[in-house]
Short mmCIF file of all heavy atoms in Angstrom, two decimals:
data_model
loop_
_atom_site.label_atom_id
_atom_site.label_comp_id
_atom_site.label_asym_id
_atom_site.label_seq_id
_atom_site.Cartn_x
_atom_site.Cartn_y
_atom_site.Cartn_z
N MET A 14 -13.83 -35.32 16.66
CA MET A 14 -13.56 -34.25 15.73
C MET A 14 -12.05 -34.25 15.43
O MET A 14 -11.25 -34.47 16.33
CB MET A 14 -13.99 -32.91 16.32
CG MET A 14 -13.78 -31.75 15.38
SD MET A 14 -14.27 -30.14 16.05
CE MET A 14 -15.96 -30.38 16.46
N LYS A 15 -11.72 -33.96 14.19
CA LYS A 15 -10.33 -33.90 13.77
C LYS A 15 -9.64 -32.68 14.39
O LYS A 15 -10.29 -31.69 14.71
CB LYS A 15 -10.23 -33.79 12.25
CG LYS A 15 -10.79 -34.96 11.50
CD LYS A 15 -10.78 -34.86 10.00
CE LYS A 15 -10.18 -33.67 9.36
NZ LYS A 15 -10.26 -33.64 7.91
N ALA A 16 -8.33 -32.75 14.52
CA ALA A 16 -7.58 -31.64 15.08
C ALA A 16 -7.50 -30.47 14.11
O ALA A 16 -7.58 -29.31 14.50
CB ALA A 16 -6.18 -32.09 15.46
N GLU A 17 -7.34 -30.76 12.82
CA GLU A 17 -7.26 -29.73 11.78
C GLU A 17 -8.48 -29.86 10.88
O GLU A 17 -8.83 -30.95 10.45
CB GLU A 17 -5.99 -29.90 10.94
CG GLU A 17 -4.72 -29.72 11.71
CD GLU A 17 -4.44 -28.26 12.06
OE1 GLU A 17 -4.79 -27.38 11.24
OE2 GLU A 17 -3.87 -28.02 13.13
N LEU A 18 -9.13 -28.73 10.60
CA LEU A 18 -10.36 -28.73 9.80
C LEU A 18 -10.21 -27.86 8.57
O LEU A 18 -9.61 -26.78 8.64
CB LEU A 18 -11.52 -28.19 10.63
CG LEU A 18 -11.84 -28.88 11.95
CD1 LEU A 18 -12.88 -28.09 12.71
CD2 LEU A 18 -12.32 -30.29 11.70
N THR A 19 -10.80 -28.30 7.47
CA THR A 19 -10.91 -27.44 6.30
C THR A 19 -11.98 -26.39 6.60
O THR A 19 -12.71 -26.50 7.59
CB THR A 19 -11.32 -28.24 5.06
OG1 THR A 19 -12.65 -28.76 5.27
CG2 THR A 19 -10.36 -29.37 4.76
N ILE A 20 -12.12 -25.42 5.74
CA ILE A 20 -13.14 -24.40 5.95
C ILE A 20 -14.54 -25.03 5.92
O ILE A 20 -15.37 -24.72 6.77
CB ILE A 20 -13.02 -23.27 4.92
CG1 ILE A 20 -11.65 -22.60 5.02
CG2 ILE A 20 -14.14 -22.25 5.10
CD1 ILE A 20 -11.29 -22.11 6.40
N ALA A 21 -14.77 -25.93 4.98
CA ALA A 21 -16.08 -26.59 4.90
C ALA A 21 -16.37 -27.36 6.19
O ALA A 21 -17.49 -27.33 6.71
CB ALA A 21 -16.13 -27.52 3.69
N GLU A 22 -15.37 -28.04 6.72
CA GLU A 22 -15.54 -28.77 7.98
C GLU A 22 -15.76 -27.81 9.15
O GLU A 22 -16.55 -28.09 10.05
CB GLU A 22 -14.33 -29.66 8.24
CG GLU A 22 -14.20 -30.81 7.27
CD GLU A 22 -12.88 -31.53 7.34
OE1 GLU A 22 -11.86 -30.91 7.73
OE2 GLU A 22 -12.85 -32.73 7.01
N ALA A 23 -15.07 -26.68 9.14
CA ALA A 23 -15.22 -25.68 10.20
C ALA A 23 -16.63 -25.10 10.18
O ALA A 23 -17.23 -24.88 11.24
CB ALA A 23 -14.18 -24.58 10.04
N VAL A 24 -17.16 -24.86 9.00
CA VAL A 24 -18.52 -24.35 8.86
C VAL A 24 -19.51 -25.36 9.45
O VAL A 24 -20.39 -25.01 10.23
CB VAL A 24 -18.84 -24.04 7.38
CG1 VAL A 24 -20.33 -23.82 7.17
CG2 VAL A 24 -18.04 -22.84 6.91
N ALA A 25 -19.35 -26.62 9.09
CA ALA A 25 -20.26 -27.67 9.58
C ALA A 25 -20.13 -27.84 11.10
O ALA A 25 -21.14 -27.98 11.79
CB ALA A 25 -19.97 -28.98 8.87
N ALA A 26 -18.91 -27.81 11.61
CA ALA A 26 -18.69 -28.02 13.04
C ALA A 26 -19.20 -26.86 13.89
O ALA A 26 -19.71 -27.07 14.99
CB ALA A 26 -17.20 -28.23 13.31
N SER A 27 -19.07 -25.64 13.39
CA SER A 27 -19.47 -24.47 14.18
C SER A 27 -20.92 -24.08 13.99
O SER A 27 -21.48 -23.36 14.81
CB SER A 27 -18.59 -23.27 13.83
OG SER A 27 -18.83 -22.85 12.50
N GLY A 28 -21.53 -24.52 12.88
CA GLY A 28 -22.90 -24.12 12.59
C GLY A 28 -23.00 -22.68 12.11
O GLY A 28 -24.07 -22.09 12.10
N ARG A 29 -21.88 -22.10 11.74
CA ARG A 29 -21.84 -20.72 11.26
C ARG A 29 -21.61 -20.72 9.76
O ARG A 29 -21.27 -21.74 9.17
CB ARG A 29 -20.73 -19.92 11.95
CG ARG A 29 -20.78 -19.97 13.45
CD ARG A 29 -22.07 -19.37 13.99
NE ARG A 29 -22.20 -19.56 15.42
CZ ARG A 29 -21.68 -18.76 16.32
NH1 ARG A 29 -20.99 -17.72 15.98
NH2 ARG A 29 -21.84 -19.03 17.59
N SER A 30 -21.77 -19.59 9.14
CA SER A 30 -21.63 -19.50 7.69
C SER A 30 -20.15 -19.45 7.29
O SER A 30 -19.28 -19.11 8.09
CB SER A 30 -22.34 -18.26 7.15
OG SER A 30 -21.64 -17.10 7.55
N LYS A 31 -19.91 -19.75 6.03
CA LYS A 31 -18.57 -19.66 5.47
C LYS A 31 -18.05 -18.22 5.60
O LYS A 31 -16.89 -17.99 5.94
CB LYS A 31 -18.61 -20.09 4.01
CG LYS A 31 -17.30 -20.26 3.34
CD LYS A 31 -17.54 -20.80 1.92
CE LYS A 31 -16.27 -21.08 1.20
NZ LYS A 31 -16.51 -21.61 -0.16
N THR A 32 -18.93 -17.26 5.35
CA THR A 32 -18.58 -15.85 5.46
C THR A 32 -18.11 -15.52 6.87
O THR A 32 -17.12 -14.81 7.06
CB THR A 32 -19.78 -14.96 5.08
OG1 THR A 32 -20.18 -15.28 3.75
CG2 THR A 32 -19.44 -13.49 5.19
N THR A 33 -18.79 -16.03 7.87
CA THR A 33 -18.43 -15.77 9.26
C THR A 33 -17.07 -16.36 9.59
O THR A 33 -16.24 -15.69 10.21
CB THR A 33 -19.51 -16.32 10.22
OG1 THR A 33 -20.73 -15.63 9.98
CG2 THR A 33 -19.10 -16.17 11.67
N VAL A 34 -16.82 -17.59 9.18
CA VAL A 34 -15.53 -18.23 9.46
C VAL A 34 -14.40 -17.44 8.80
O VAL A 34 -13.38 -17.17 9.43
CB VAL A 34 -15.54 -19.70 9.02
CG1 VAL A 34 -14.16 -20.32 9.16
CG2 VAL A 34 -16.57 -20.50 9.83
N TYR A 35 -14.59 -17.03 7.55
CA TYR A 35 -13.57 -16.22 6.88
C TYR A 35 -13.39 -14.86 7.57
O TYR A 35 -12.28 -14.36 7.70
CB TYR A 35 -13.91 -16.01 5.40
CG TYR A 35 -13.44 -17.14 4.52
CD1 TYR A 35 -14.35 -18.01 3.93
CD2 TYR A 35 -12.08 -17.35 4.28
CE1 TYR A 35 -13.92 -19.06 3.12
CE2 TYR A 35 -11.65 -18.38 3.47
CZ TYR A 35 -12.57 -19.24 2.90
OH TYR A 35 -12.14 -20.27 2.10
N ARG A 36 -14.48 -14.27 8.05
CA ARG A 36 -14.38 -12.99 8.75
C ARG A 36 -13.55 -13.14 10.02
O ARG A 36 -12.71 -12.30 10.33
CB ARG A 36 -15.77 -12.44 9.08
CG ARG A 36 -15.73 -11.10 9.80
CD ARG A 36 -17.10 -10.49 10.00
NE ARG A 36 -18.13 -11.40 10.45
CZ ARG A 36 -18.31 -11.78 11.73
NH1 ARG A 36 -17.53 -11.31 12.68
NH2 ARG A 36 -19.29 -12.61 12.05
N TRP A 37 -13.79 -14.22 10.77
CA TRP A 37 -13.00 -14.48 11.97
C TRP A 37 -11.51 -14.57 11.64
O TRP A 37 -10.68 -14.04 12.37
CB TRP A 37 -13.44 -15.76 12.65
CG TRP A 37 -14.79 -15.70 13.30
CD1 TRP A 37 -15.49 -14.59 13.67
CD2 TRP A 37 -15.60 -16.81 13.68
NE1 TRP A 37 -16.68 -14.94 14.25
CE2 TRP A 37 -16.77 -16.30 14.27
CE3 TRP A 37 -15.45 -18.18 13.57
CZ2 TRP A 37 -17.78 -17.12 14.76
CZ3 TRP A 37 -16.45 -19.01 14.05
CH2 TRP A 37 -17.61 -18.48 14.64
N MET A 38 -11.19 -15.22 10.54
CA MET A 38 -9.79 -15.33 10.13
C MET A 38 -9.24 -13.96 9.72
O MET A 38 -8.14 -13.58 10.14
CB MET A 38 -9.64 -16.33 8.99
CG MET A 38 -9.87 -17.76 9.43
SD MET A 38 -9.54 -18.97 8.13
CE MET A 38 -10.98 -18.75 7.10
N ASP A 39 -9.99 -13.21 8.93
CA ASP A 39 -9.56 -11.90 8.46
C ASP A 39 -9.37 -10.91 9.61
O ASP A 39 -8.50 -10.05 9.56
CB ASP A 39 -10.54 -11.32 7.43
CG ASP A 39 -10.56 -12.11 6.13
OD1 ASP A 39 -9.60 -12.87 5.87
OD2 ASP A 39 -11.54 -11.96 5.37
N GLU A 40 -10.19 -11.03 10.65
CA GLU A 40 -10.11 -10.14 11.81
C GLU A 40 -9.05 -10.59 12.82
O GLU A 40 -8.82 -9.92 13.82
CB GLU A 40 -11.47 -10.06 12.51
CG GLU A 40 -12.52 -9.34 11.69
CD GLU A 40 -13.89 -9.33 12.35
OE1 GLU A 40 -14.07 -9.97 13.42
OE2 GLU A 40 -14.79 -8.69 11.80
N GLY A 41 -8.42 -11.73 12.55
CA GLY A 41 -7.38 -12.23 13.45
C GLY A 41 -7.91 -12.98 14.66
O GLY A 41 -7.15 -13.27 15.58
N LEU A 42 -9.19 -13.27 14.67
CA LEU A 42 -9.78 -14.00 15.80
C LEU A 42 -9.50 -15.50 15.71
O LEU A 42 -9.45 -16.18 16.73
CB LEU A 42 -11.30 -13.78 15.83
CG LEU A 42 -11.76 -12.35 16.04
CD1 LEU A 42 -13.26 -12.26 15.87
CD2 LEU A 42 -11.34 -11.86 17.40
N LEU A 43 -9.36 -16.01 14.49
CA LEU A 43 -9.17 -17.44 14.27
C LEU A 43 -7.90 -17.66 13.45
O LEU A 43 -7.80 -17.20 12.32
CB LEU A 43 -10.39 -18.01 13.51
CG LEU A 43 -10.39 -19.49 13.20
CD1 LEU A 43 -10.30 -20.33 14.48
CD2 LEU A 43 -11.65 -19.86 12.43
N ARG A 44 -6.94 -18.33 14.06
CA ARG A 44 -5.68 -18.63 13.37
C ARG A 44 -5.91 -19.70 12.32
O ARG A 44 -6.75 -20.58 12.50
CB ARG A 44 -4.63 -19.12 14.35
CG ARG A 44 -4.10 -18.02 15.23
CD ARG A 44 -3.00 -18.53 16.09
NE ARG A 44 -3.61 -18.89 17.37
CZ ARG A 44 -3.01 -19.56 18.33
NH1 ARG A 44 -1.79 -19.99 18.16
NH2 ARG A 44 -3.62 -19.80 19.46
N PHE A 45 -5.15 -19.62 11.24
CA PHE A 45 -5.28 -20.60 10.18
C PHE A 45 -3.93 -20.87 9.56
O PHE A 45 -2.97 -20.13 9.75
CB PHE A 45 -6.26 -20.12 9.11
CG PHE A 45 -5.83 -18.87 8.40
CD1 PHE A 45 -5.09 -18.94 7.23
CD2 PHE A 45 -6.16 -17.62 8.90
CE1 PHE A 45 -4.68 -17.78 6.58
CE2 PHE A 45 -5.77 -16.46 8.26
CZ PHE A 45 -5.04 -16.54 7.09
N GLU A 46 -3.84 -21.97 8.82
CA GLU A 46 -2.65 -22.34 8.08
C GLU A 46 -3.03 -22.42 6.61
O GLU A 46 -4.11 -22.90 6.27
CB GLU A 46 -2.12 -23.71 8.52
CG GLU A 46 -1.64 -23.76 9.95
CD GLU A 46 -0.33 -23.03 10.15
OE1 GLU A 46 0.50 -23.02 9.21
OE2 GLU A 46 -0.14 -22.46 11.24
N GLU A 47 -2.15 -21.96 5.76
CA GLU A 47 -2.34 -22.11 4.31
C GLU A 47 -1.72 -23.44 3.92
O GLU A 47 -0.55 -23.69 4.20
CB GLU A 47 -1.65 -20.98 3.55
CG GLU A 47 -2.31 -19.65 3.68
CD GLU A 47 -3.57 -19.50 2.84
OE1 GLU A 47 -3.87 -20.37 2.02
OE2 GLU A 47 -4.25 -18.49 3.02
N THR A 48 -2.50 -24.30 3.29
CA THR A 48 -1.99 -25.58 2.81
C THR A 48 -2.23 -25.67 1.31
O THR A 48 -2.87 -24.78 0.73
CB THR A 48 -2.70 -26.76 3.50
OG1 THR A 48 -4.07 -26.79 3.09
CG2 THR A 48 -2.63 -26.64 5.02
N SER A 49 -1.75 -26.72 0.72
CA SER A 49 -1.96 -26.91 -0.72
C SER A 49 -3.45 -27.08 -1.04
O SER A 49 -3.88 -26.84 -2.16
CB SER A 49 -1.17 -28.11 -1.23
OG SER A 49 -1.58 -29.28 -0.55
N GLU A 50 -4.22 -27.48 -0.04
CA GLU A 50 -5.66 -27.68 -0.23
C GLU A 50 -6.48 -26.46 0.19
O GLU A 50 -7.70 -26.49 0.16
CB GLU A 50 -6.12 -28.90 0.56
CG GLU A 50 -5.45 -30.18 0.11
CD GLU A 50 -5.79 -31.36 0.99
OE1 GLU A 50 -6.63 -31.21 1.90
OE2 GLU A 50 -5.22 -32.42 0.77
N GLY A 51 -5.84 -25.40 0.63
CA GLY A 51 -6.54 -24.20 1.11
C GLY A 51 -6.25 -23.98 2.58
O GLY A 51 -5.34 -24.57 3.15
N ARG A 52 -7.04 -23.15 3.20
CA ARG A 52 -6.85 -22.84 4.61
C ARG A 52 -7.38 -23.96 5.50
O ARG A 52 -8.40 -24.57 5.18
CB ARG A 52 -7.58 -21.55 4.98
CG ARG A 52 -7.01 -20.32 4.34
CD ARG A 52 -7.80 -19.10 4.79
NE ARG A 52 -7.28 -17.89 4.19
CZ ARG A 52 -7.75 -16.68 4.45
NH1 ARG A 52 -8.76 -16.52 5.29
NH2 ARG A 52 -7.23 -15.63 3.86
N THR A 53 -6.70 -24.17 6.62
CA THR A 53 -7.19 -25.08 7.64
C THR A 53 -7.12 -24.37 8.98
O THR A 53 -6.31 -23.46 9.17
CB THR A 53 -6.36 -26.39 7.72
OG1 THR A 53 -5.01 -26.08 8.04
CG2 THR A 53 -6.45 -27.18 6.42
N VAL A 54 -7.98 -24.77 9.90
CA VAL A 54 -8.00 -24.21 11.25
C VAL A 54 -7.95 -25.34 12.26
O VAL A 54 -8.37 -26.47 11.97
CB VAL A 54 -9.24 -23.33 11.50
CG1 VAL A 54 -9.27 -22.16 10.55
CG2 VAL A 54 -10.53 -24.13 11.37
N ARG A 55 -7.45 -25.03 13.44
CA ARG A 55 -7.46 -26.04 14.50
C ARG A 55 -8.86 -26.06 15.12
O ARG A 55 -9.44 -25.01 15.39
CB ARG A 55 -6.42 -25.70 15.56
CG ARG A 55 -5.01 -25.86 15.06
CD ARG A 55 -3.95 -25.62 16.08
NE ARG A 55 -4.44 -25.12 17.36
CZ ARG A 55 -3.68 -24.91 18.41
NH1 ARG A 55 -2.40 -25.12 18.35
NH2 ARG A 55 -4.19 -24.44 19.54
N SER A 56 -9.37 -27.26 15.35
CA SER A 56 -10.73 -27.38 15.88
C SER A 56 -10.85 -26.74 17.26
O SER A 56 -11.87 -26.12 17.57
CB SER A 56 -11.16 -28.85 15.92
OG SER A 56 -10.28 -29.61 16.70
N ILE A 57 -9.82 -26.83 18.09
CA ILE A 57 -9.87 -26.22 19.42
C ILE A 57 -10.00 -24.71 19.32
O ILE A 57 -10.73 -24.09 20.07
CB ILE A 57 -8.64 -26.65 20.27
CG1 ILE A 57 -8.82 -26.22 21.71
CG2 ILE A 57 -7.34 -26.08 19.73
CD1 ILE A 57 -9.49 -27.24 22.55
N ASP A 58 -9.28 -24.09 18.36
CA ASP A 58 -9.38 -22.64 18.16
C ASP A 58 -10.76 -22.26 17.64
O ASP A 58 -11.33 -21.26 18.06
CB ASP A 58 -8.32 -22.16 17.17
CG ASP A 58 -6.90 -22.28 17.71
OD1 ASP A 58 -6.73 -22.34 18.95
OD2 ASP A 58 -5.96 -22.33 16.89
N LEU A 59 -11.29 -23.06 16.74
CA LEU A 59 -12.62 -22.79 16.19
C LEU A 59 -13.68 -22.81 17.29
O LEU A 59 -14.51 -21.89 17.37
CB LEU A 59 -12.98 -23.82 15.11
CG LEU A 59 -14.39 -23.70 14.55
CD1 LEU A 59 -14.54 -22.44 13.72
CD2 LEU A 59 -14.74 -24.94 13.74
N MET A 60 -13.66 -23.80 18.14
CA MET A 60 -14.65 -23.90 19.21
C MET A 60 -14.50 -22.74 20.20
O MET A 60 -15.49 -22.23 20.70
CB MET A 60 -14.53 -25.24 19.93
CG MET A 60 -14.91 -26.43 19.05
SD MET A 60 -16.63 -26.35 18.49
CE MET A 60 -16.40 -26.06 16.75
N ARG A 61 -13.27 -22.31 20.47
CA ARG A 61 -13.04 -21.18 21.36
C ARG A 61 -13.67 -19.91 20.79
O ARG A 61 -14.40 -19.21 21.49
CB ARG A 61 -11.53 -20.98 21.57
CG ARG A 61 -11.17 -19.78 22.41
CD ARG A 61 -9.66 -19.56 22.49
NE ARG A 61 -8.99 -19.60 21.19
CZ ARG A 61 -8.96 -18.60 20.31
NH1 ARG A 61 -9.57 -17.48 20.57
NH2 ARG A 61 -8.31 -18.73 19.17
N VAL A 62 -13.40 -19.64 19.51
CA VAL A 62 -13.92 -18.42 18.88
C VAL A 62 -15.44 -18.50 18.75
O VAL A 62 -16.15 -17.54 19.07
CB VAL A 62 -13.26 -18.19 17.51
CG1 VAL A 62 -13.93 -17.04 16.77
CG2 VAL A 62 -11.77 -17.92 17.68
N ALA A 63 -15.95 -19.62 18.30
CA ALA A 63 -17.40 -19.78 18.11
C ALA A 63 -18.13 -19.63 19.43
O ALA A 63 -19.23 -19.06 19.48
CB ALA A 63 -17.71 -21.12 17.47
N GLY A 64 -17.54 -20.09 20.51
CA GLY A 64 -18.17 -19.98 21.83
C GLY A 64 -18.21 -18.56 22.35
O GLY A 64 -19.09 -18.21 23.14
N ARG A 65 -17.28 -17.73 21.92
CA ARG A 65 -17.23 -16.34 22.39
C ARG A 65 -18.13 -15.41 21.59
O ARG A 65 -18.51 -14.35 22.08
CB ARG A 65 -15.81 -15.80 22.27
CG ARG A 65 -14.86 -16.35 23.27
CD ARG A 65 -13.53 -15.67 23.12
NE ARG A 65 -12.58 -16.22 24.06
CZ ARG A 65 -11.30 -15.94 24.04
NH1 ARG A 65 -10.82 -15.13 23.13
NH2 ARG A 65 -10.49 -16.47 24.92
N GLN A 66 -18.43 -15.77 20.36
CA GLN A 66 -19.18 -14.89 19.49
C GLN A 66 -20.68 -15.07 19.69
O GLN A 66 -21.16 -16.19 19.75
CB GLN A 66 -18.82 -15.15 18.02
CG GLN A 66 -17.35 -15.01 17.72
CD GLN A 66 -16.82 -13.63 18.05
OE1 GLN A 66 -17.41 -12.64 17.66
NE2 GLN A 66 -15.73 -13.57 18.77
N ARG A 67 -21.39 -13.96 19.76
CA ARG A 67 -22.85 -14.01 19.90
C ARG A 67 -23.47 -14.31 18.55
O ARG A 67 -22.96 -13.89 17.53
CB ARG A 67 -23.37 -12.67 20.39
CG ARG A 67 -22.95 -12.37 21.80
CD ARG A 67 -23.50 -11.04 22.19
NE ARG A 67 -24.96 -11.11 22.17
CZ ARG A 67 -25.73 -10.54 23.07
NH1 ARG A 67 -25.20 -9.85 24.02
NH2 ARG A 67 -27.04 -10.63 22.98
N ARG A 68 -24.57 -15.00 18.57
CA ARG A 68 -25.28 -15.28 17.34
C ARG A 68 -26.44 -14.31 17.21
O ARG A 68 -27.08 -13.97 18.18
CB ARG A 68 -25.81 -16.70 17.36
CG ARG A 68 -24.68 -17.72 17.33
CD ARG A 68 -25.21 -19.06 17.13
NE ARG A 68 -25.48 -19.22 15.71
CZ ARG A 68 -25.68 -20.36 15.13
NH1 ARG A 68 -25.67 -21.45 15.83
NH2 ARG A 68 -25.91 -20.44 13.84
N GLY A 69 -26.69 -13.89 16.00
CA GLY A 69 -27.82 -13.03 15.74
C GLY A 69 -27.59 -11.60 16.19
O GLY A 69 -26.49 -11.20 16.52
N ARG A 70 -28.65 -10.85 16.20
CA ARG A 70 -28.59 -9.45 16.58
C ARG A 70 -28.63 -9.32 18.09
O ARG A 70 -29.27 -10.10 18.77
CB ARG A 70 -29.78 -8.71 16.00
CG ARG A 70 -29.77 -8.65 14.50
CD ARG A 70 -31.04 -7.95 14.01
NE ARG A 70 -31.02 -7.78 12.59
CZ ARG A 70 -30.45 -6.77 11.98
NH1 ARG A 70 -29.87 -5.81 12.66
NH2 ARG A 70 -30.46 -6.69 10.67
N PRO A 71 -27.96 -8.29 18.63
CA PRO A 71 -28.07 -8.05 20.07
C PRO A 71 -29.52 -7.75 20.45
O PRO A 71 -30.28 -7.23 19.66
CB PRO A 71 -27.20 -6.81 20.27
CG PRO A 71 -26.28 -6.78 19.11
CD PRO A 71 -27.05 -7.39 17.97
N LYS A 72 -29.86 -8.10 21.67
CA LYS A 72 -31.22 -7.90 22.16
C LYS A 72 -31.64 -6.44 22.02
O LYS A 72 -30.89 -5.54 22.33
CB LYS A 72 -31.27 -8.32 23.63
CG LYS A 72 -32.66 -8.39 24.18
CD LYS A 72 -32.63 -8.95 25.58
CE LYS A 72 -34.05 -9.12 26.11
NZ LYS A 72 -34.06 -9.69 27.42
N GLY A 73 -32.84 -6.25 21.48
CA GLY A 73 -33.37 -4.90 21.34
C GLY A 73 -32.97 -4.20 20.06
O GLY A 73 -33.22 -3.02 19.90
N THR A 74 -32.35 -4.93 19.12
CA THR A 74 -31.94 -4.29 17.86
C THR A 74 -32.60 -4.95 16.66
O THR A 74 -31.98 -5.14 15.62
CB THR A 74 -30.40 -4.35 17.69
OG1 THR A 74 -30.00 -5.72 17.65
CG2 THR A 74 -29.68 -3.61 18.81
N SER A 75 -33.84 -5.26 16.80
CA SER A 75 -34.59 -5.87 15.71
C SER A 75 -34.55 -4.98 14.47
O SER A 75 -34.64 -3.76 14.55
CB SER A 75 -36.04 -6.09 16.12
OG SER A 75 -36.80 -6.55 15.03
N LYS A 76 -34.44 -5.60 13.31
CA LYS A 76 -34.43 -4.81 12.09
C LYS A 76 -35.85 -4.39 11.68
O LYS A 76 -36.02 -3.60 10.80
CB LYS A 76 -33.74 -5.56 10.95
CG LYS A 76 -34.45 -6.79 10.46
CD LYS A 76 -33.66 -7.42 9.31
CE LYS A 76 -34.39 -8.57 8.71
NZ LYS A 76 -33.70 -9.13 7.58
N TYR A 77 -36.85 -4.94 12.37
CA TYR A 77 -38.24 -4.58 12.10
C TYR A 77 -38.75 -3.70 13.23
O TYR A 77 -38.56 -3.99 14.40
CB TYR A 77 -39.12 -5.83 11.99
CG TYR A 77 -38.66 -6.75 10.90
CD1 TYR A 77 -37.99 -7.92 11.21
CD2 TYR A 77 -38.87 -6.42 9.57
CE1 TYR A 77 -37.54 -8.75 10.20
CE2 TYR A 77 -38.44 -7.26 8.56
CZ TYR A 77 -37.77 -8.41 8.87
OH TYR A 77 -37.34 -9.24 7.87
N ARG A 78 -39.39 -2.62 12.89
CA ARG A 78 -39.91 -1.72 13.94
C ARG A 78 -41.39 -1.54 13.78
O ARG A 78 -42.00 -1.59 12.86
CB ARG A 78 -39.22 -0.37 13.86
CG ARG A 78 -37.80 -0.54 14.28
CD ARG A 78 -37.12 0.80 14.31
NE ARG A 78 -35.75 0.52 14.71
CZ ARG A 78 -34.96 1.41 15.17
NH1 ARG A 78 -35.37 2.64 15.32
NH2 ARG A 78 -33.75 1.11 15.51
#
């Protein structure tokens, strides 16, 4: 894996949505750099944040009752 990832690469590497990756950046959870090509993130930071975040709804909070 490359050290610096574009947003599209970060989405593919983490298996999360583009919205989620941008939310992590907006919330300050994922550091990024502004480049002429757009934002980039460090792959090590992405894996750290993705590993800490739970996927899906918390247990017992089904949207169907």
Side-chain angles (χ1 to χ4, degrees):
M14 182 180 303
K15 297 177 3 182
E17 297 286 326
L18 303 172
T19 65
I20 300 306
E22 292 169 332
V24 167
S27 67
R29 307 298 173 85
S30 70
K31 189 176 184 180
T32 302
T33 296
V34 173
Y35 275 110
R36 181 174 44 82
W37 290 341
M38 290 186 285
D39 293 341
E40 292 177 355
L42 298 173
L43 181 59
R44 287 185 265 170
F45 63 91
E46 295 288 328
E47 289 283 352
T48 67
S49 59
E50 299 174 6
R52 293 181 180 183
T53 61
V54 299
R55 291 183 353 176
S56 58
I57 190 90
D58 293 338
L59 175 69
M60 293 299 111
R61 176 185 48 80
V62 172
R65 288 185 182 171
Q66 303 301 311
R67 292 180 63 140
R68 293 189 80 165
R70 294 177 176 275
K72 190 174 184 178
T74 61
S75 173
K76 67 179 185 176
Y77 301 105
R78 291 184 180 198

